[in-house]
Amino acid sequence: MDTADLLERSYPGRRAELKRDIFRKALRLFNEQGIEATTIEMIRAECDTSVGAIYHHFGNKEGLVAALFFTALEDQARLRDAYLADATTTEEGVQALVYSYVDWVENQPEWARFQYHARYAVTRGPHKDELAERNKTRNLSLRTWLAESGRAAELNEYPAELLPSLIVGQADSYCRAWLSGRVQGSPKAYRELLAQATWRSIRREPER
């Protein structure tokens, strides 16, 4: 799955062609030049369109950064929910959450790299409230799964809001190292080990 596939999923059809092109060029510039250093004029020149067209779609640079960030989050959530839907046990569900995170990052490294860099800007910027609302909607299926009857009995008594971070935390740490070049091994090569380690860390040990 390359960038074009992600954009086609998120913004299909001919009418969204310009938006996809702006996204594609902006993503590359943000990753190559940095979010702060990239200007709307640089993006306009790459897209061979007008500044007005970019502002029409996104309002300003902060709006474009947020739109890219939201697009990445939604695509990541689609894969997560697809994996989670196939899980029949709590352990399989935990594995699905780790596998989907790792697979998405390796399949979409440029989007993942941008996502890591842009997170601070979006969570502290003018679109932070929209992000909070989107997160509530995006994580509804995950919260529903965690709250299913009998689930708590299989897991340690951790706060519900902490569990998602505990589940993907180790995978997130390794994926960040891989994206930055600090490690060479493919995240997918270690996804089973990461899932096993996660399950051991959050499952409730049977009483003896």
Side-chain angles (χ1 to χ4, degrees):
M1 291 186 288
D2 60 19
T3 298
D5 292 326
L6 190 159
L7 291 172
E8 289 288 349
R9 283 194 299 275
S10 301
Y11 304 96
R14 294 185 60 184
R15 294 184 64 181
E17 188 172 350
L18 176 58
K19 178 177 282 191
R20 292 195 301 269
D21 189 51
I22 294 170
F23 270 144
R24 195 174 296 114
K25 302 296 177 50
L27 179 68
R28 181 176 61 79
L29 285 170
F30 286 142
N31 280 337
E32 291 179 357
Q33 306 296 329
I35 293 174
E36 289 296 324
T38 300
T39 65
I40 289 292
E41 174 57 29
M42 292 166 65
I43 297 169
R44 183 210 64 76
E46 286 289 319
C47 297
D48 193 25
T49 188
S50 68
V51 170
I54 297 176
Y55 280 109
H56 169 73
H57 283 291
F58 306 106
N60 51 29
K61 191 175 85 169
E62 288 80 6
L64 176 53
V65 170
L68 279 166
F69 189 76
F70 296 151
T71 297
L73 285 181
E74 295 301 328
D75 193 72
Q76 192 175 38
R78 276 194 289 267
L79 187 65
R80 180 201 65 194
D81 291 348
Y83 280 34
L84 195 57
D86 291 333
T88 58
T89 67
T90 301
E91 182 176 3
E92 288 178 358
V94 170
Q95 290 174 340
L97 293 172
V98 175
Y99 289 174
S100 66
Y101 190 92
V102 167
D103 290 355
W104 188 85
V105 170
E106 186 156 328
N107 289 340
Q108 307 289 350
E110 295 308 309
W111 283 92
R113 189 171 288 111
F114 168 81
Q115 189 181 56
Y116 288 137
H117 293 323
R119 184 176 302 276
Y120 182 84
V122 178
T123 57
R124 295 293 187 274
H127 297 274
K128 63 181 180 180
D129 291 338
E130 182 181 355
L131 173 62
E133 288 301 314
R134 284 174 174 266
N135 280 341
K136 288 180 183 178
T137 302
R138 183 172 57 88
N139 290 324
L140 179 60
S141 62
L142 176 57
R143 292 196 302 272
T144 300
W145 180 81
L146 287 171
E148 285 181 5
S149 177
R151 192 80 65 206
E154 298 182 69
L155 302 174
N156 282 323
E157 294 182 357
Y158 295 122
E161 63 183 3
L162 181 61
L163 271 174
S165 295
L166 292 174
I167 292 171
V168 301
Q170 296 175 88
D172 175 77
S173 177
Y174 187 82
C175 286
R176 284 175 180 266
W178 178 71
L179 287 169
S180 67
R182 288 182 282 122
V183 297
Q184 299 301 315
S186 158
K188 285 186 180 181
Y190 298 129
R191 71 177 198 157
E192 290 189 21
L193 290 174
L194 289 165
Q196 290 168 7
T198 298
W199 176 243
R200 287 195 298 268
S201 71
I202 67 171
R203 71 180 179 182
R204 179 173 295 180
E205 294 291 343
E207 296 182 2
R208 296 181 179 180

